Amino acid sequence: MGADGMSKTVIFEEKYNVHIEDFSTTEDIEKFIENKLDRKLQVIKLEDHGIASSRGSVFKIRKYDICRMFDKTIKP
């Protein structure tokens, strides 16, 4: 598990005073959290939240014709 995933696991364990090894599946974790919240978890879809596009890129993607650029660079 990467460092980021590990820190999230530690936060979860500290917040709920549990050990992640006590859960076998994601569903087990969801049920545990639902019991703590006393409600069902809601799946939401973030639309345009103003930070990044739906593809996760803040910057516009540019396409390059590498062959044309190379030819242009090597021509005298």
Side-chain angles (χ1 to χ4, degrees):
M1 183 179 294
D4 190 49
M6 183 61 76
S7 65
K8 290 177 184 177
T9 300
V10 170
I11 292 169
F12 173 79
E13 290 177 325
E14 287 178 357
K15 179 174 182 172
Y16 294 109
N17 195 27
V18 295
H19 296 285
I20 199 68
E21 295 87 17
D22 295 340
F23 301 95
S24 299
T25 65
T26 305
E27 289 80 14
D28 290 344
I29 295 171
E30 290 173 356
K31 287 177 187 174
F32 174 81
I33 294 172
E34 287 174 347
N35 286 335
K36 287 288 186 181
L37 295 174
D38 198 28
R39 66 173 171 82
K40 294 291 264 178
L41 290 176
Q42 298 172 345
V43 178
I44 60 170
K45 179 181 178 187
L46 295 178
E47 295 297 329
D48 182 19
H49 46 77
I51 296 172
S53 71
S54 61
R55 292 186 310 218
S57 177
V58 176
F59 305 103
K60 293 198 181 282
I61 297 185
R62 257 181 110 172
K63 293 183 180 180
Y64 294 97
D65 183 348
I66 297 297
C67 293
R68 184 183 57 80
M69 290 174 69
F70 178 75
D71 290 341
K72 185 177 178 182
T73 303
I74 63 170
K75 284 185 180 178

